[in-house]
Amino acid sequence: MPTIPFIGRLALQQYAALLGSLVLILLESIVRIITLALPGPVIRFFYEGSRSAFNYLSSPQGRRNRGKRKLIVNSINQASDFVELCEIYGYSAEEHIVHTADGYLLGLHRLGWRKGEEDQRVNNGPGSLQKKVVYMHHGLMMNSEVWVCITEKERCLPFMLVEMGYDVWFGNNRGNKYSKKSARNAPTDTRFWNFSIDEFAFHDIPDSISYILSTTHQPSLSYVGFSQGTAQAFATLSIHPTLNQRVDVFIALAPAMAPAGLTSSVVDSLVRTSPDVLFLAFGRRAILSSTTMWQAILYPPIFVRFIDMGLSFLFGWHARNISPHQKLAAYPHLYSFTSTKSVVHWFQIIRNGTFQMYDDEVQGPLSFSNGSKYYKVAKFPTRNIRTPIVLVYGGSDSLVDINVMLKELPKHTIAKEIPHYEHLDFLWAADVNSQVFPHVIDALNDFAAPSNRKPDFTTTLHTTTATSRAFNPLISPQPPSYSEDERSPHPSTAPTSATNAHSPSPTHLDPSTTPPPSSSTSHRHNGTPTGRLRATIVRSDSLSDISTGSKKTRRPGNRKFTVSTTMTTQDEASGNSSVPDEREVEEEEKDSQSSCATTPTLMGAAGETTFSENGAKAGVESATQGVMSRELEGVGGG
């Protein structure tokens, strides 16, 4: 279809779709005004009517299934805030307020105590429990509640991290439920809502991180973001070089940077034309504020159906990996306020195909000048990020173009795919604990060194995340996958000696002792791992299968063995140096040592492992001495 002359960005059918969408928005505004004027009894009448109609049309099996989980679903559905959601599972949460440099008051939440630790001080100076800090940030039009509105405790990532010994914090964007206040402007003022991703990156994220580190007296933290929460981290780390030193690792779940577009041709037409059209439709304050109205008058299963229809219409998501009872519990907590300008910013990014700052001089469709020749919008310099980045994305997520994303990120970025996952699955999927959580734990173990790690060699030997999964009641024993560099060594690093040739490979152990990998895949983005020697203990009855990194080292006495099959950067006392990625050496203990059974506890932020009194500790010490002897031989021979 040819475009209209001179006006030309849209075809005729796209203008018709655009007009239809504006009519629907107008009708919704009229319905909302009428609803606000209705008294409470009338609203309850519509609610009860929609419930009766839904139950009448539902199958008997559907009614029975809803009845089985009605108690927990209703408890989560009706919880009024973050603290109440945590109390459902017996956790105590704190609330904090951050005052940003430009006057906004942001709400933070904290889960720092395991059950039974409520009377202890955590990260509160000398004598208190010292825990590694994890910071979690939500997505677009959300708040911190999306992390904890889970119907099964074992599928809740924050609860799992708390039980592993982390001090977990949650951020909230300006304008949402917990941050709808400013010291300068009231929410009724349009100036309050004059913010985009730029303000999130320049103020909200760095100010929140500074507050958390100041409160906990910790030098750094680990960042876990979802959707727009990842985009905000990409942006803020790219423009604040010193902030990279305060973030150990950035774990991006369902990362968002430059989405290819939307599935709906109607909404996509809004993107292709001037994004400022959204200001005409929704005004310059909060966007889609009528969502709370529909939630109030519709029976929850009907509201869930409308949300599913909207997600399918806009993004092509079908939400098949999220159970119906999880939707009933979580969808009421899905929406929170944000500015229309922040959504317009995303439309600018989609339209231009680049992760850029907000463009205040967007040209309209009637402009004839070539503005790009004289004016260029600043891009977020994401290649400047020095913090380790781990991307965990869904193969069925229409908002993720991993190839475009990797081109704009530094070479040390690691990307891991879960093929059948969509966007919201990273929060609420039925198998999120087995598909996503192991990747998060791997990244924390690899890059976020515990603050209270002992310098002694024997106390720095850690179990693998495979062992952690085996003894962790919150994680499925089946890991999602091995990364490509774990599955097969680089040709240049293949073992050549007879001893190494007959050593058991960690990826070819007896199936009875090694859990099978699942369907997820991973790869490293054009980067060669550098530096620190690592040891991998593959789970078996005797902890006998040991593989190490480089055979040569200058300071064997200072080597710290952690859980990984890759190499990471190490700073030695004499300056920055790197250990070449040489061949992996695999060691098998004697049969007499194999008879020792181990019972390691759950490896937490402290990275410590305890053993039963049956002699297994001696077996591990023997294995580590063998590794050290090879290191000393390598130094002597080098």
Side-chain angles (χ1 to χ4, degrees):
M1 176 69 69
T3 57
I4 300 176
F6 302 108
I7 299 180
R9 289 209 175 120
L10 303 179
L12 287 174
Q13 71 270 23
Q14 293 175 324
Y15 274 104
L18 178 61
L19 179 61
S21 64
L22 293 177
V23 170
L24 292 176
I25 292 172
L26 179 61
L27 289 176
E28 184 191 44
S29 301
I30 294 173
V31 172
R32 183 168 183 246
I33 293 173
I34 296 174
T35 304
L36 291 175
L38 292 176
V42 176
I43 294 178
R44 285 193 295 272
F45 171 80
F46 281 108
Y47 178 86
E48 295 295 337
S50 64
R51 181 176 68 176
S52 300
F54 183 86
N55 288 331
Y56 177 79
L57 297 174
S58 297
S59 64
Q61 181 64 33
R63 290 194 293 270
R64 284 194 296 269
N65 291 338
R66 289 195 300 274
K68 291 179 181 178
R69 298 181 177 271
K70 186 175 181 179
L71 180 60
I72 184 64
V73 168
N74 286 347
S75 298
I76 296 174
N77 187 324
Q78 298 171 9
S80 61
D81 57 17
F82 182 92
V83 174
E84 190 172 335
L85 283 167
C86 295
E87 288 176 347
I88 293 174
Y89 291 102
Y91 289 95
S92 176
E94 283 185 352
E95 296 181 283
H96 295 255
I97 301 295
V98 177
H99 190 177
T100 67
D102 59 344
Y104 284 82
L105 304 180
L106 311 180
L108 295 179
H109 293 107
R110 181 189 190 185
L111 282 174
W113 296 265
R114 297 186 182 100
K115 294 180 181 179
E117 289 183 345
E118 292 80 6
D119 58 342
Q120 301 188 47
R121 294 185 301 122
V122 173
N123 288 338
N124 191 23
S128 63
L129 293 176
Q130 297 299 303
K131 297 186 177 184
K132 194 71 183 67
V133 178
V134 173
Y135 176 77
M136 308 183 75
H137 204 90
H138 59 79
L140 176 65
M141 290 190 286
M142 297 180 178
N143 60 55
S144 55
E145 293 174 10
V146 297
W147 295 106
V148 293
C149 54
I150 311 294
T151 55
E152 289 88 19
K153 175 185 173 182
E154 62 270 14
R155 293 191 300 110
C156 183
L157 179 59
F159 294 161
M160 183 200 69
L161 293 175
V162 169
E163 291 300 327
M164 291 179 66
Y166 289 94
D167 186 0
V168 186
W169 290 71
F170 306 83
N172 284 286
N173 285 340
R174 60 183 63 195
N176 79 2
K177 176 179 178 177
Y178 297 102
S179 307
K180 202 174 180 180
K181 188 171 181 60
S182 170
R184 302 177 183 177
N185 301 301
T188 55
D189 192 334
T190 56
R191 290 176 294 182
F192 177 91
W193 300 100
N194 185 27
F195 59 80
S196 65
I197 299 175
D198 294 358
E199 283 69 32
F200 299 151
F202 279 100
H203 299 293
D204 290 11
I205 299 297
D207 289 353
S208 296
I209 291 177
S210 295
Y211 175 89
I212 293 170
L213 295 181
S214 174
T215 302
T216 59
H217 309 285
Q218 297 296 313
S220 61
L221 53 74
S222 302
Y223 188 108
V224 179
F226 168 76
S227 189
Q228 182 180 279
T230 68
Q232 295 174 212
F234 287 134
T236 196
L237 290 172
S238 69
I239 60 179
H240 293 94
T242 57
L243 192 62
N244 287 257
Q245 302 172 10
R246 312 181 76 185
V247 179
D248 298 321
V249 61
F250 167 32
I251 304 170
L253 305 180
M257 180 178 285
L262 303 178
T263 303
S264 168
S265 60
V266 175
V267 182
D268 201 55
S269 298
L270 292 173
V271 179
R272 293 178 182 274
T273 188
S274 176
D276 288 348
V277 171
L278 284 184
F279 288 128
L280 300 177
F282 298 103
R284 292 185 175 271
R285 293 186 175 88
I287 191 171
L288 293 180
S289 55
S290 60
T291 303
T292 55
M293 177 267 295
W294 292 112
Q295 183 176 336
I297 66 176
L298 293 177
Y299 185 49
I302 297 179
F303 179 73
V304 167
R305 292 284 179 89
F306 274 107
I307 295 296
D308 281 342
M309 291 170 58
L311 295 177
S312 177
F313 174 74
L314 292 174
F315 309 110
W317 302 336
H318 304 289
R320 296 190 181 100
N321 298 318
I322 305 176
S323 64
H325 63 273
Q326 178 61 67
K327 294 178 183 178
L328 287 171
Y331 279 9
H333 300 279
L334 177 60
Y335 172 79
S336 195
F337 299 102
T338 193
S339 67
T340 303
K341 184 177 180 179
S342 64
V343 181
V344 170
H345 192 172
W346 273 115
F347 278 12
Q348 292 180 0
I349 292 173
I350 294 173
R351 176 187 174 188
N352 297 324
T354 181
F355 190 48
Q356 64 179 41
M357 297 183 185
Y358 186 83
D359 187 359
D360 295 290
E361 298 185 18
V362 176
Q363 293 183 344
L366 296 178
S367 175
F368 295 96
S369 63
N370 183 14
S372 61
K373 183 177 180 180
Y374 307 101
Y375 170 66
K376 181 176 177 61
V377 182
K379 293 173 57 178
F380 288 107
T382 49
R383 290 194 183 98
N384 295 344
I385 299 175
R386 296 293 177 262
T387 296
I389 302 173
V390 178
L391 310 179
V392 187
Y393 67 98
S396 300
D397 189 350
S398 60
L399 294 182
V400 176
D401 189 333
I402 193 63
N403 294 323
V404 172
M405 191 175 297
L406 290 177
K407 289 179 181 178
E408 298 300 323
L409 292 174
K411 291 184 177 181
H412 62 255
T413 300
I414 299 172
K416 302 185 179 183
E417 178 187 9
I418 303 178
H420 61 287
Y421 260 39
E422 296 174 343
H423 207 66
L424 293 177
D425 294 341
F426 287 88
L427 290 175
W428 302 321
D431 59 350
V432 67
N433 55 324
S434 62
Q435 293 292 333
V436 177
F437 292 7
H439 291 306
V440 176
I441 298 172
D442 287 345
L444 292 174
N445 288 339
D446 288 346
F447 299 105
S451 58
N452 55 346
R453 178 179 292 173
K454 305 289 182 61
D456 181 67
F457 170 79
T458 58
T459 59
T460 58
L461 183 62
H462 301 260
T463 59
T464 61
T465 51
T467 306
S468 298
R469 295 187 193 103
F471 294 94
N472 187 352
L474 303 181
I475 307 177
S476 169
Q478 177 177 350
S481 76
Y482 295 104
S483 62
E484 296 299 335
D485 52 355
E486 288 173 310
R487 274 200 281 270
S488 58
H490 191 277
S492 63
T493 63
T496 56
S497 66
T499 302
N500 294 340
H502 295 286
S503 298
S505 172
T507 57
H508 295 84
L509 295 176
D510 183 10
S512 63
T513 60
T514 304
S518 74
S519 58
S520 65
T521 59
S522 64
H523 59 277
R524 189 179 300 274
H525 169 49
N526 296 333
T528 301
T530 59
R532 186 177 65 183
L533 175 66
R534 295 203 162 188
T536 298
I537 304 180
V538 181
R539 177 175 176 261
S540 65
D541 291 339
S542 62
L543 291 181
S544 61
D545 302 310
I546 307 292
S547 65
T548 65
S550 174
K551 191 174 180 181
K552 296 182 179 180
T553 175
R554 294 190 182 93
R555 295 177 180 270
N558 294 333
R559 297 296 176 182
K560 294 185 178 181
F561 287 77
T562 59
V563 184
S564 178
T565 52
T566 60
M567 306 289 290
T568 55
T569 303
Q570 172 183 330
D571 294 330
E572 296 192 359
S574 59
N576 295 331
S577 63
S578 61
V579 180
D581 186 10
E582 299 180 358
R583 66 178 181 270
E584 293 185 351
V585 183
E586 300 168 346
E587 183 75 12
E588 183 176 10
E589 294 181 27
K590 297 180 180 180
D591 294 338
S592 60
Q593 296 172 343
S594 300
S595 60
C596 299
T598 63
T599 310
T601 61
L602 177 66
M603 184 178 65
E608 299 171 349
T609 304
T610 62
F611 300 86
S612 60
E613 298 178 358
N614 58 1
K617 187 172 181 180
V620 174
E621 291 176 350
S622 175
T624 57
Q625 290 173 2
V627 174
M628 288 301 299
S629 65
R630 288 199 306 276
E631 293 297 319
L632 294 174
E633 291 173 3
V635 174

